[in-house]
Amino acid sequence: MSARSTQWFEAARFGLFVHFELYSLAARHEWVRSREAMPDADYDRYLERFDPDLFDAAALARAARDAGMRYAVLTAKHHDGFCLFDSELTGYTSARVAGRDLVAEFAEAMRAEGLRVGLYYSLLDWRHPDFTIDRYHPLRDSVPPEEAAGRDMARYRAYMHGQVRELLTGYGPIDLLFFDFTYAEKGPADWGAEELMAMVRDLQPRIIVNDRLGIPGDYVTPEQYQPDRPLTRDGAEVMWEACHTLNGSWGYDRDNHDYKDPALLVRMLVQSVACGGNLLLNVGPTGRGALEPRAAHTLRAIGAWTSLHARTVHGAGPSAFEAPPNTLYTQRGDRLYLHLLTWPLKHVHLPGLAGRVRYAQLLHDGSEVRFHELDGGDHEHNNLAPPGRPPGTLTLTLPVVQPEVTLPVVELVLRDEGR
Ligand code: GLC
C-alpha cells in the first residue's frame, strides 16, 4: 500500500465511531444478545420496533466536524448480524424493516461535511444460520446438537465476503474498513482473511484496513486502553488508532453513567498524537438513533478545545524532544506544542530547547510567552532552591492564573525543524 493513501489517516488523528444497531433499543450494551443468551425470537422484539426516526446523519457529521474529527466509522453490521445497509444477501437490514439504508445516508453526510468515510463490519454474526456456535454465541446453550453440527462456516464465509463486496461496490469510495474481531475460537482461516483482504484491496485500492482479521492490516487497534509510547511491530513503528467509549459501552447503555470527562478525552487525544497514533471516539445513539445529550455535550466540550488547538492535532505527530514531567509534546514541522497537564507556578523548564526557540505563545489567544535560557545556575537565586537546571534548558514564564481552556498549550516556533 502506498504511503500516499495512508497520509490522510495519520494527518486526521481524530475520528468518530458510531455504534447503532438493534441492541440500541435494548439500551444495555451491544453484547446484550450474547450476555443474556437470547434466542432469535426474543431478540426480534427489537427488530419489530426498529424505527430510527431520529437518526440524522447530517447532524452526526456536523457534530463530528465541530468536535475536530476528520473521519467517522459506522457499524454497517455488528455481532447481532443486523445490517444498516440494503443487502441482497439478507432481509435482516434497516432497509427492509425501516426503509432506510443508513450506510448510504452516513456516507453521503460525512462526505458532505468533508469527513472521510469508514465502515465497521463484524466478522461475528449471531443471526446467520451457518455461523458456528462458540462460547459467545447467544444460542450456545439452546441450539440442538444436530443443528449446531449442520452449521457450515464455508457458507457463512461466502455470505460475509459477499456483503463486504456489496459495501465496497455500492457506496462510492470507502476510506477505511474496521473488521471486528478475531478470538480464540475463530481466526483468519474462518474468515478467509487473506482472500477477503485481497478482494478489499482489489475493489478499493486506496482503502485503509485494520488488523482484526487476524492478519496484519494497515494499522493496529488498541481498544479501551491508552498507549503511552509509539507502538512497534518487529522493532518498526506501526500506525495505530486507540478506540474508546464514552462510558465503557459501545452501544447505547441507558443506565450507565460512567462517562469520561471531556478534559480526560482531550488528554487522551493529545497523548495519542504525542505517541504517533489516532483516537477513534465512540458514540452510541439512542434506540431512535439520536445522539444522547451527554454525548452531544461531550463532543461540544471537546470541540471548544479543538477549535482553538486544531494545529496541535491535525497533521501533527510525536516530537523527538523529550517532554518534561506533566506535559506532552506534539510537533508539526517547526512548531512544537507544549501541552500543560498541570498548571505550573510561573515557570516551566524545557530541557534541550535553549537556543532552539524563535518565539513562544499561548495557542488559544496568541499571547506571547516570554522565555529565557539558563546557564546551569540557580535562577531562583536562593540557596534553598532545587539544584540548577542543566545547561541547554529554556525557561518559560507563564501567568499565575491558568487560562480558561481545558488543556493549555504553548506553541513554540523552532529555529529549525528541531532535529
Ligand atoms: C469489541 C466488541 C465490540 C465493539 C468493538 C469496538 O470487539 O466486541 O462490541 O464493537 O470492540 O472496537
Side-chain angles (χ1 to χ4, degrees), residues 17 19 23 29-31 75 77-79 120 122 124 126 136 178-182 210 212 221-224 243-245 249-251 280 282:
F17 214 172
H19 276 69
Y23 51 65
H29 200 278
E30 78 282 356
W31 274 64
T75 51
K77 180 192 86 171
H78 204 261
H79 309 336
Y120 166 109
S122 171
L124 290 71
W126 296 328
Y136 297 136
F178 192 117
F179 286 115
D180 194 39
F181 64 95
T182 289
N210 77 345
R212 295 194 184 175
T221 53
E223 175 176 328
Q224 300 225 49
C243 51
H244 284 283
T245 58
S249 174
W250 300 94
L280 184 66
N282 181 72

Side-chain angles (χ1 to χ4, degrees), residues 86-362:
D86 191 8
S87 174
E88 285 182 9
L89 305 172
T90 177
Y92 199 52
T93 69
S94 64
R96 187 70 67 85
V97 302
R100 305 259 308 260
D101 184 325
L102 300 184
V103 167
E105 294 177 23
F106 176 83
E108 192 187 325
M110 295 305 146
R111 288 184 197 121
E113 258 332 301
L115 301 175
R116 296 279 183 159
V117 179
L119 296 177
Y120 166 109
Y121 185 84
S122 171
L123 299 166
L124 290 71
D125 192 318
W126 296 328
R127 188 66 176 210
H128 195 280
D130 280 308
F131 188 82
T132 52
I133 307 293
D134 56 38
R135 69 187 153 130
Y136 297 136
H137 203 290
L139 305 182
R140 57 193 172 262
D141 300 322
S142 56
V143 78
E146 339 55 91
E147 200 214 300
R151 290 179 173 241
D152 179 359
M153 278 300 278
R155 280 200 299 257
Y156 170 68
R157 223 167 15 249
Y159 167 83
M160 194 251 276
H161 289 206
Q163 284 210 316
V164 173
R165 176 178 290 278
E166 287 182 326
L167 288 169
L168 298 186
T169 50
Y171 298 89
I174 300 300
D175 300 295
L176 178 149
L177 200 50
F178 192 117
F179 286 115
D180 194 39
F181 64 95
T182 289
Y183 49 109
E185 284 107 320
K186 288 194 173 72
D190 299 284
W191 315 135
E194 298 287 355
E195 196 194 329
L196 183 56
M197 189 70 102
M199 180 186 82
V200 168
R201 303 272 192 227
D202 181 49
L203 294 175
Q204 299 238 11
R206 298 182 65 86
I207 202 165
I208 296 180
V209 187
N210 77 345
D211 61 338
R212 295 194 184 175
L213 280 171
I215 57 175
D218 299 312
Y219 67 105
V220 300
T221 53
E223 175 176 328
Q224 300 225 49
Y225 74 91
Q226 190 58 40
D228 59 4
R229 65 204 64 185
L231 298 182
T232 56
R233 190 195 299 125
D234 304 328
E237 286 190 15
V238 291
M239 285 207 307
W240 60 270
E241 174 198 68
C243 51
H244 284 283
T245 58
L246 290 181
N247 63 355
S249 174
W250 300 94
Y252 181 52
D253 195 1
R254 183 191 59 210
D255 303 334
N256 171 339
H257 302 292
D258 208 4
Y259 281 84
K260 296 175 185 76
D261 193 88
L264 172 60
L265 293 165
V266 166
R267 285 204 300 276
M268 288 157 61
L269 171 61
V270 172
Q271 190 169 40
S272 296
V273 181
C275 300
N278 287 18
L279 171 64
L280 184 66
L281 185 61
N282 181 72
V283 295
T286 66
R288 295 176 63 181
L291 211 51
E292 39 95 21
R294 189 73 187 256
H297 164 81
T298 300
L299 293 185
R300 278 196 303 273
I302 295 172
W305 184 85
T306 50
S307 62
L308 296 173
H309 299 93
R311 60 189 197 251
T312 81
V313 170
H314 299 139
S319 172
F321 291 108
E322 201 183 322
N326 299 317
T327 71
L328 290 167
Y329 276 152
T330 67
Q331 190 170 345
R332 175 182 175 160
D334 68 352
R335 306 297 165 101
L336 178 64
Y337 296 103
L338 170 72
H339 301 77
L340 295 161
L341 304 175
T342 60
W343 192 249
L345 174 64
K346 284 203 276 196
H347 295 122
V348 55
H349 305 284
L350 309 176
L353 280 176
R356 309 299 290 273
V357 174
R358 202 195 292 274
Y359 189 77
Q361 60 178 354
L362 280 164

Side-chain angles (χ1 to χ4, degrees), residues 358-369:
R358 202 195 292 274
Y359 189 77
Q361 60 178 354
L362 280 164
L363 183 53
H364 70 285
D365 66 353
S367 61
E368 183 173 12
V369 171

